[in-house]
Amino acid sequence: MDEIKDSVKKKFFNNPINEGITRKTMQKNPLWLAHDHCNKRKYNLPMKIFAYSLLATLASSLCSVGATDRKPNVLLIMADDVGLEPIGCYGGESFETPQVDALARKGMRFEHCYSMPVCHPSRLALMTGRYPFRLKTGWGDFPKEEEDRSIGRVMQKAGYATAVAGKWQMTLLKKDPGQPGRVGFDKWLLFGWHEGARFHDPFLYRRDKPPRTEKGSYGPDLYADFLSAFMESAHKQGKPFFAYFPMALAHDVTDDLKWQVPYAPGKDRWMNYGEMIASMDSTVGKLVGTLDRLGIRKETVVIFTGDNGTASRSKLRHLGKKGSKYEYEKVVVARKGERVPGGKGSLRDTGTRVPLIVNWPGTVKEGTVNQDLVDFSDWLPTMAELAGAKLAPDRPLDGQSFANSFRGNEGPRRTYAFSESRGKQRFVRDQRWKLYASGKMFDLRQDPMEKKALPEKPVAKEAQSAKARLAQSLEKLNFK
């Protein structure tokens, strides 16, 4: 506010029409004496004109100062079980993804974003800015000590309205329905993980209502409508928003219920993988359409990513009276002229290399491709930088902000990406070289499918140097 006051004063006294008005005169009686002074100087200005001059100066100052200080809205979309292969702008040829492709065409596509190989660890890293091995929590849980320091809390404390919709997987909501609020979300619409359907006739939790099955409804439509209403409400209230959308798509249906969730209407099966990708893409388009309708595209950072690689198979229908057996489709996707099997669960690129697209009209240069490294611990510090939030210096993070990468600013860049899996399997890598904790190393430029590891002592000096550097990075992580 002091900055605004100073700006107003400077513009007012520099305006030729206000010549002769001193700060001392204004301090005595800002409006009347200034008007009297103008009359004595024979400017013959009516009081209304003087007032309009002052108001115009104030409005101009407020706009110019506010424009530079305004915090951007953030819409973070994370698809489920979607690696690079299904997305057209990444060379995918099996499916059409026009809405996601449009984000890349008018924004920035990152080539080196790395997740954990399966869903829950990726979400832990995103929510905390820390690698999963540091958190010592069970599958589907979220550590209590991280609740007040989560990504939602960071944005909330920075003055953002916050909401989440879709897949939660941080707890069983039937045991702890208030957890989304404790980790920083003002509103939520989340399907009951392992309790009911996520797609057709979904079983949903809200902040202010008991959970219920939405008969005749399609979950992804409800999630998109919910976030659209939230974004519109926050915009009308003049608050920046953080809308987090961990999508249900394109993960297949749950298989651990005593009964089966509904098939797709008019079909004798659930949606296949291609149908889910099409629905995912159109849902992205609905949300972007909301931002267009509200006229806030330039004020909103839209980010699209995936939680892990593409699924290797997807349930189509249940077999037998009890439905304990399933018919699956094998997911193989064409990309850049090759047939690529889904690699979810693997530490190879097909399991950990995921799409990352940042779209921010007027800030992110259109049609750009970025080669910087990003891993899933980077989400929290990146959101914090966008929000202007200060993180506790006594709490070390594994992540670092990649905001400079899409803003086109100078600054430090990540030198390695990390991922981990069960059995203490893990790797560190850069854009070309990949080193596993086992000591195996691959040159991904020459061997992207990791068919043959390099010799224990690489021959090429470049490989020797890369191995030494990555080994040092791996050691510094102090993985236990």
Side-chain angles (χ1 to χ4, degrees):
M1 185 57 70
D2 288 339
E3 182 184 353
I4 294 175
K5 289 179 181 178
D6 291 341
S7 176
V8 171
K9 288 177 183 177
K10 184 176 180 181
K11 288 190 176 184
F12 182 84
F13 289 110
N14 287 343
N15 192 330
I17 199 172
N18 299 324
E19 181 184 358
I21 302 176
T22 66
R23 285 170 170 77
K24 186 175 181 180
T25 302
M26 291 293 287
Q27 287 170 355
K28 290 181 179 178
N29 194 327
L31 287 178
W32 175 250
L33 289 180
H35 173 254
D36 184 59
H37 179 85
C38 289
N39 283 336
K40 287 180 181 178
R41 292 288 301 271
K42 298 183 180 180
Y43 288 141
N44 200 25
L45 282 177
M47 190 62 177
K48 284 185 179 180
I49 295 179
F50 173 79
Y52 290 157
S53 172
L54 184 61
L55 289 173
T57 302
L58 176 61
S60 173
S61 299
L62 286 171
C63 289
S64 62
V65 173
T68 58
D69 289 352
R70 183 179 179 85
K71 297 178 179 181
N73 306 311
V74 180
L75 171 58
L76 173 55
I77 305 171
M78 182 171 67
D80 199 353
D81 287 2
V82 179
L84 298 184
E85 303 85 20
I87 308 299
C89 63
Y90 281 97
E93 298 164 346
S94 293
F95 317 112
E96 294 184 357
T97 54
Q99 302 298 333
V100 175
D101 294 347
L103 291 177
R105 187 172 62 253
K106 297 179 181 179
M108 179 177 289
R109 185 181 86 238
F110 283 75
E111 286 292 307
H112 291 283
C113 179
Y114 297 95
S115 68
M116 304 299 147
V118 288
C119 45
H120 179 248
S122 286
R123 293 158 202 271
L124 283 176
L126 181 149
M127 291 285 290
T128 65
R130 305 179 73 195
Y131 295 135
F133 75 86
R134 301 196 193 281
L135 302 175
K136 307 300 182 186
T137 189
W139 182 262
D141 290 332
F142 191 81
K144 291 281 187 182
E145 61 272 17
E146 295 293 329
E147 288 184 348
D148 194 51
R149 301 180 294 203
S150 68
I151 196 169
R153 277 286 185 221
V154 167
M155 301 302 279
Q156 210 174 44
K157 291 175 182 177
Y160 278 67
T162 59
V164 59
K167 180 178 179 177
W168 187 232
Q169 206 181 18
M170 296 289 101
T171 190
L172 288 175
L173 288 170
K174 64 181 177 182
K175 294 183 178 180
D176 191 1
Q179 190 206 41
R182 294 200 309 276
V183 298
F185 291 99
D186 302 320
K187 299 180 179 181
W188 58 85
L189 182 69
L190 303 163
F191 69 80
W193 186 45
H194 300 305
E195 291 185 70
R198 65 190 72 186
F199 297 129
H200 301 97
D201 297 353
F203 182 71
L204 302 179
Y205 281 82
R206 298 168 174 79
R207 181 182 188 116
D208 52 354
K209 295 179 181 179
R212 67 171 184 262
T213 297
E214 299 289 348
K215 289 286 187 181
S217 295
Y218 179 53
D221 285 343
L222 297 181
Y223 311 140
D225 290 345
F226 170 84
L227 288 177
S228 290
F230 161 74
M231 294 188 295
E232 183 167 4
S233 175
H235 173 60
K236 287 181 178 179
Q237 293 173 31
K239 289 194 71 173
F241 60 74
F242 174 55
Y244 174 37
F245 189 16
M247 304 180 86
L249 295 159
H251 194 296
D252 59 2
V253 300
T254 189
D255 61 358
D256 58 356
L257 300 174
K258 294 180 180 179
W259 46 274
Q260 296 301 324
V261 298
Y263 283 152
K267 298 182 183 293
D268 67 341
R269 58 171 176 80
W270 296 298
M271 293 183 291
N272 62 33
Y273 190 77
E275 289 166 338
M276 288 192 287
I277 290 294
S279 182
M280 173 209 75
D281 188 72
S282 66
T283 302
V284 170
K286 289 179 182 178
L287 290 169
V288 175
T290 295
L291 300 175
D292 288 335
R293 176 174 58 81
L294 295 174
I296 55 174
R297 283 296 286 111
K298 288 188 176 181
E299 303 165 30
T300 306
V301 190
V302 179
I303 305 176
F304 176 86
T305 191
D307 68 340
N308 49 244
T310 301
S312 61
R313 63 179 190 172
S314 185
K315 289 186 286 295
L316 284 179
R317 54 175 64 86
H318 56 81
L319 305 173
K321 294 181 180 180
K322 294 184 179 180
S324 57
K325 295 182 179 180
Y326 296 89
E327 177 186 342
Y328 291 86
E329 68 163 335
K330 189 174 181 180
V331 180
V332 180
V333 182
R335 179 177 183 246
K336 296 182 177 180
E338 295 185 6
R339 302 276 293 170
V340 184
K344 175 184 177 179
S346 166
L347 284 172
R348 293 179 179 176
D349 274 11
T350 53
T352 59
R353 190 176 178 188
V354 295
L356 171 55
I357 297 167
V358 181
N359 182 287
W360 190 0
T363 299
V364 174
K365 188 175 180 181
E366 291 190 12
T368 49
V369 178
N370 193 295
Q371 301 293 338
D372 291 342
L373 291 167
V374 177
D375 79 20
F376 257 53
S377 67
D378 295 339
W379 290 107
L380 186 148
T382 302
M383 295 301 105
E385 182 172 342
L386 289 175
K390 292 183 178 180
L391 299 175
D394 60 340
R395 179 177 178 261
L397 297 180
D398 293 302
Q400 65 183 73
S401 173
F402 61 93
N404 283 334
S405 294
F406 57 80
R407 281 173 158 163
N409 296 336
E410 296 295 324
R413 299 297 197 264
R414 175 174 281 282
T415 58
Y416 69 87
F418 171 83
S419 187
E420 63 179 281
S421 187
R422 292 171 178 167
K424 296 188 175 182
Q425 298 179 74
R426 57 201 183 276
F427 70 71
V428 291
R429 63 164 297 163
D430 61 17
Q431 291 86 342
R432 178 179 179 180
W433 309 98
K434 185 174 185 178
L435 178 66
Y436 285 89
S438 64
K440 289 185 177 181
M441 183 175 173
F442 295 88
D443 179 354
L444 299 175
R445 186 180 299 171
Q446 303 298 326
D447 183 16
M449 295 305 294
E450 302 179 23
K451 294 180 179 180
K452 186 177 181 180
L454 296 173
E456 185 177 349
K457 294 183 179 180
V459 177
K461 288 185 177 180
E462 188 178 7
Q464 293 173 11
S465 175
K467 187 169 186 178
R469 173 172 47 82
L470 292 174
Q472 186 178 38
S473 298
L474 191 60
E475 185 178 358
K476 284 183 177 179
L477 287 173
N478 195 26
F479 186 100
K480 294 180 179 179

